[in-house]
Amino acid sequence: MTALTLSTSSPATLRADALVIGITKSAKGPVLAAGAETVAQAFDGKLAAVLETLGATGGEGEVTKLPAPSGFKAPVVLAVGLGDPPAKGDGFDGETLRRAAGAAARALAGARKGVFALPVEDASDAAAVAEGALLGAYAFNTYRAGNGDGDGGTKNDDRSTPLAEVTLLGGKPRDKAYKAAVERATALASEVNRARDLINMPSNDLTPKSFAAAAQAAGKEHGVKVEIMDEKALAKGGYGGILGVGQGSDAPPRLVKLSYTHAKAKKTLALVGKGITYDSGGISLKPAGHNETMKCDMSGAAAVFAAVVAAARLGLAVNITGWLALAENMPSGSATRPGDVLRMYSGKTVEVLNTDAEGRLVLADALTRASEDKPDAIVDVATLTGAMVLALGNRTFGIMSNDEAFRTELHEIAAETGEQSWPMPLPPELRKGMDSSIADIANMGERMGGGLVAGLFLQEFLGEGITWAHLDIAGPAFHEGAPYGYTPKGGTGSAVRTLVRLAERTAAGDLG
């Protein structure tokens, strides 16, 4: 991953490929943000005018490059737009700084080093810039033939190589607050990028078995206990939902439990992730054009995995169990058919009316099992429904909960981390649509409000009296458009930062 350091040196004296400064919008043209003073002086106060001549406006995420002034060690100045300036007396919000740093890091792909002189007033600003730069510098190059060695591959160009090193100006390297902020940003970005790597990995390499092995390896490295249930253990334990989804594939399912504990922890969180390593829809096959990105249907499990490891790396005083419900949903002679009835781990029976509503089946088993440990709260994360994308778009995840205060807190936490979310209801009248004539419940209900119906289904498999929330990340988990800010094309690592902040709040005793 991109290396990150703090420095108090003058930006003119640091050797780098580029020096990054910030600019804002105004009616009179771009305005230099704090941090750009040294560069402005070298341009005799004419830097803003030069940038305007080059077409810069200061709009959010806009990037403008120009030659550095004489005497600077870096040959290029990169001005990144911060958008509208903050109100008088206020600083820039963290998400603005994250996105600007991310856009700059992406623009410097292929470079060895960038010096970031963006506005930093305190340690939280430094954390935002560091996080944005590290997330923006991400690239998934595992499957690119990068050596040009005559094997038929294409040699990587510099644009596919992440910025190698970031030096962040504005914070003292030995200041405890700044040092802690940068260390947190490094650990968090590393784990978000771990989730991104897993999501981007093709399904011929990421199977339930190999996903479980990756969790086991990371657990060993970071002090997280890992327990893996294979198909035989799942059958013995009666996990009919996970087995029913996975029985059509040659790659059998797994249920993975990650356990992080802290000696001073007073509360326990359980995180449950949907891990469908490939979703064809099963017998209820997806239509043409809907299969190509279905390697991303394990994004919820990737988020849970990364969040637990991040909590361990940060040494948070909270106990966390992560449950990865892993299966591949494929059509075959052994696959579950529409109309089949599955007996779940809870003992309830489910009539499967649509095999493409499989995520709720694996989550149901994992939620029941997680409930048995009686955690203080359970949060599940899943790319669960297309209905949630229709409701909230591609950048916002939905939050449902059996506790309105908990739902509100999660919405606030997500906003604090820069992740877009929206509270969604669980209308009880929609439950009747899942009544089955032969089983306890069907896995489908009314078409309208389908994302809410899925939440109501999951609620049926919770232990009594447990606070629970469901995050449907179907929209923001996989980005198919052009990169923006610190968000790449492909896997985004959606919900990792929200889950980690939830763990931090719980550890600090700040969660109601």
Side-chain angles (χ1 to χ4, degrees):
M1 193 175 86
T2 302
L4 179 67
T5 56
L6 286 167
S7 176
T8 56
S9 299
S10 167
T13 64
L14 292 171
R15 294 188 181 277
D17 295 287
L19 171 62
V20 178
I21 61 171
I23 56 175
T24 62
K25 292 173 63 176
S26 81
K28 297 180 179 180
V31 177
L32 302 180
E37 294 85 356
T38 302
V39 186
Q41 291 172 6
F43 273 89
D44 294 326
K46 299 178 181 179
L47 177 56
V50 172
L51 288 168
E52 186 174 17
T53 300
L54 293 172
T57 67
E60 183 179 320
E62 176 188 83
V63 171
T64 306
K65 294 182 180 180
L66 69 162
S70 176
F72 276 60
K73 299 292 185 183
V76 172
V77 171
L78 186 153
V80 60
L82 294 159
D84 294 326
K88 189 174 182 180
D90 293 337
F92 289 94
D93 67 87
E95 183 62 5
T96 296
L97 294 175
R98 270 189 293 267
R99 291 187 179 185
R106 285 191 299 102
L108 293 175
R112 184 184 61 82
K113 182 178 179 179
V115 173
F116 283 60
L118 294 174
V120 171
E121 295 184 2
D122 54 28
S124 64
D125 288 346
V129 173
E131 193 178 311
L134 293 175
L135 293 175
Y138 173 81
F140 185 69
N141 291 327
T142 303
Y143 293 87
R144 294 184 181 275
N147 297 321
D149 55 5
D151 63 354
T154 302
K155 185 175 181 179
N156 284 344
D157 60 33
D158 284 344
R159 291 171 296 175
S160 67
T161 305
L163 174 63
E165 184 180 349
V166 169
T167 295
L168 174 59
L169 300 182
K172 297 178 181 179
R174 295 184 181 180
D175 183 288
K176 289 183 179 180
Y178 281 90
K179 185 178 179 181
V182 168
E183 287 177 350
R184 179 190 181 276
T186 300
L188 184 60
S190 177
E191 293 310 317
V192 171
N193 289 340
R194 181 197 298 276
R196 291 171 169 181
D197 282 347
L198 288 166
I199 296 163
N200 288 326
M201 190 174 294
S203 302
N204 57 320
D205 281 347
L206 189 70
T207 63
K209 182 179 180 180
S210 64
F211 197 148
Q216 195 165 47
K220 185 176 181 180
E221 180 181 357
H222 296 290
V224 175
K225 183 180 179 182
V226 180
E227 302 169 69
I228 300 172
M229 297 183 69
D230 63 13
E231 66 274 28
K232 293 181 181 178
L234 291 169
K236 185 177 180 179
Y239 292 84
I242 297 175
L243 287 167
V245 172
Q247 69 188 39
S249 173
D250 289 337
R254 296 286 187 272
L255 178 61
V256 179
K257 180 182 181 182
L258 308 170
S259 302
Y260 163 69
T261 58
H262 192 283
K264 295 183 179 180
K266 295 181 179 179
K267 288 192 175 183
T268 297
L269 292 174
L271 309 177
V272 178
K274 173 188 172 184
I276 304 300
T277 56
Y278 183 75
D279 182 20
S280 70
I283 297 297
S284 305
L285 194 66
K286 291 180 183 292
H290 289 73
N291 288 286
E292 290 77 6
T293 61
M294 281 300 100
K295 65 181 182 179
C296 79
D297 212 17
M298 37 57 67
S299 296
V304 166
F305 172 24
V308 174
V309 175
R313 292 179 63 166
L314 295 171
L316 303 183
V318 60
N319 295 330
I320 304 180
T321 56
W323 298 89
L324 315 181
L326 309 176
E328 186 177 68
N329 187 25
M330 296 290 284
S332 73
S334 60
T336 293
R337 298 160 288 249
D340 284 359
V341 174
L342 304 177
R343 186 171 295 279
M344 310 295 282
Y345 179 72
S346 68
K348 291 182 180 180
T349 54
V350 175
E351 182 182 11
V352 180
L353 298 181
N354 187 331
T355 64
D356 195 25
E358 84 299 329
R360 65 198 70 182
L361 298 175
V362 300
L363 285 174
D365 274 354
L367 284 169
T368 302
R369 175 61 189 87
S371 297
E372 290 180 344
D373 293 341
K374 301 189 183 305
D376 293 287
I378 297 177
V379 179
D380 77 72
V381 189
T383 48
L384 206 59
T385 64
M388 196 57 59
V389 185
L390 291 173
L392 298 179
N394 290 317
R395 296 191 183 185
T396 304
F397 62 75
I399 306 175
M400 285 156 264
S401 179
N402 60 359
D403 184 302
E404 186 173 344
F406 189 49
R407 183 186 66 181
T408 299
E409 285 182 302
L410 279 169
H411 177 48
E412 292 171 351
I413 287 170
E416 184 181 332
T417 67
E419 297 199 290
Q420 295 174 214
S421 70
W422 197 252
M424 302 294 284
L426 289 170
E429 66 272 14
L430 293 178
R431 168 61 182 85
K432 185 173 177 56
M434 291 184 283
D435 286 348
S436 167
S437 61
I438 62 171
D440 295 320
I441 191 171
N443 77 328
M444 292 292 290
E446 294 183 29
R447 180 171 178 267
M448 300 302 174
L452 312 182
V453 170
L456 288 165
F457 179 90
L458 295 177
Q459 189 173 223
E460 295 278 324
F461 296 88
L462 282 172
E464 187 176 352
I466 294 179
T467 299
W468 157 80
H470 161 57
L471 310 185
D472 190 336
I473 62 170
F478 195 85
H479 179 56
E480 295 186 66
Y484 64 94
Y486 54 80
T487 301
K489 186 170 184 175
T492 64
S494 177
V496 174
R497 291 179 292 150
T498 296
L499 295 178
V500 173
R501 190 71 189 106
L502 170 65
E504 288 174 327
R505 277 204 188 184
T506 304
D510 295 337
L511 196 69

